[in-house]
Amino acid sequence: MITNIQSQNSFTGKSVFNKNIKQAKKIFFSEFKDVKSPAKYELLPVQKQQGLAAEIKELSDRLKFIRHFSKTFYKDGGIPEVFRGLIGCVKAFKVGNCAEFAEIGKTILKMNGIKNCDIYTLHAKSPDGTLRDLDQTLIAFNVPKTKNNPVTKRNGTYFKPMEDTRILDLWLDGFSGTVKQAKKKYKILGMKQDDQLILKPENTYEPDFETIEKLKKAFPKLIFKR
């Protein structure tokens, strides 16, 4: 059973945490296996990008439509529709970038009773204090409320997470590990060896009990097998 884990507020048991993450990744990559990310094409050699220009444009146009259309979700059906609409659109249009992957991943975790996770954007701080936006969104666990609360979300407050803070990045092929391990992975996005990894909490909607129950009925395949 994965419904009560340290009051669902901490992950002191590494094996339990890893089991939860493994199930979340399995569900995500099963249910969204056909979803393509326009941003991943940017990692290809320029010549190859040029050869795929038409495909990249078509995917980018689809993603722009989803993001524009998603602005109507709350007005149409409140918080439940924000999440139902995003999941439905990504499944239907088969496109999403790190922001969509992180939001859906967090939703899957919340649907399965894992509460202490949230969405953050990734930044790098060089030794001279320069802060760079790496244009990446991820999920982090057990961040203290002093760093992640309504005020810090509204203000967009940057912070340096603990080295053992755990991260899940579904866009980065489902990478899961500590901040210390993540620094090496994020070299692909421009993080340097002497940079500090910095996070900023995202001011997004939070699924309440009513939303979670509606999502369970709408997307039963997103529930862990007991």
Side-chain angles (χ1 to χ4, degrees):
M1 296 294 289
I2 313 173
T3 52
N4 291 299
I5 305 165
Q6 296 291 322
S7 297
Q8 299 181 10
N9 286 322
S10 64
F11 289 93
T12 54
K14 184 180 291 186
S15 62
V16 176
F17 173 83
N18 290 339
K19 183 178 180 181
N20 285 327
I21 296 304
K22 185 177 180 179
Q23 290 202 70
K25 291 197 292 186
K26 183 178 179 180
I27 286 173
F28 180 86
F29 289 114
S30 173
E31 292 300 302
F32 301 91
K33 59 185 176 183
D34 297 327
V35 175
K36 294 184 178 181
S37 170
K40 285 206 168 183
Y41 289 79
E42 297 174 10
L43 303 178
L44 298 174
V46 174
Q47 188 174 6
K48 195 162 186 177
Q49 289 185 48
Q50 291 172 345
L52 296 169
E55 181 178 343
I56 295 171
K57 183 180 185 306
E58 198 271 335
L59 287 171
S60 297
D61 288 344
R62 271 195 262 165
L63 184 58
K64 287 178 183 177
F65 172 80
I66 288 177
R67 291 182 172 179
H68 177 75
F69 187 47
S70 67
K71 295 176 182 178
T72 68
F73 292 161
Y74 184 83
K75 182 179 178 181
D76 290 343
I79 292 178
E81 185 60 21
V82 169
F83 295 91
R84 193 211 64 77
L86 177 64
I87 293 171
C89 279
V90 170
K91 286 179 73 69
F93 288 90
K94 303 185 185 307
V95 66
N97 272 343
C98 58
E100 288 74 27
F101 283 28
E103 186 70 82
I104 292 173
K106 173 187 167 182
T107 304
I108 291 172
L109 291 165
K110 294 292 178 84
M111 288 172 67
N112 288 280
I114 302 169
K115 296 182 178 180
N116 204 354
C117 59
D118 215 335
I119 298 172
Y120 303 83
T121 52
L122 177 67
H123 306 263
K125 188 175 183 180
S126 60
D128 66 4
T130 302
L131 193 65
R132 307 191 313 279
D133 184 353
L134 297 186
D135 194 23
Q136 184 74 355
T137 307
L138 51 84
I139 302 166
F141 299 84
N142 285 348
V143 172
K145 289 185 178 180
T146 54
K147 306 295 185 183
N148 181 43
N149 58 63
V151 175
T152 59
K153 286 185 176 184
R154 286 196 303 270
N155 295 339
T157 306
Y158 299 90
F159 68 95
K160 179 184 177 184
M162 300 290 290
E163 289 283 276
D164 61 353
T165 297
R166 296 179 180 182
I167 282 175
L168 171 62
D169 191 331
L170 293 167
W171 183 90
L172 196 62
D173 300 325
F175 165 75
S176 57
T178 64
V179 163
K180 185 176 182 180
Q181 294 167 333
K183 282 188 65 177
K184 297 177 182 178
K185 289 288 185 178
Y186 287 125
K187 286 181 180 179
I188 195 171
L189 300 180
M191 181 164 285
K192 302 174 182 178
Q193 185 174 356
D194 56 356
D195 283 338
Q196 291 182 11
L197 188 153
I198 302 294
L199 298 179
K200 180 169 73 73
E202 284 295 277
N203 191 23
T204 57
Y205 288 102
E206 193 67 25
D208 54 18
F209 178 80
E210 176 190 1
T211 297
I212 293 298
E213 291 305 304
K214 288 185 176 181
L215 291 174
K216 287 180 179 180
K217 292 179 181 179
F219 305 105
K221 291 184 179 180
L222 300 185
I223 304 299
F224 293 172
K225 290 184 179 180
R226 305 299 182 182

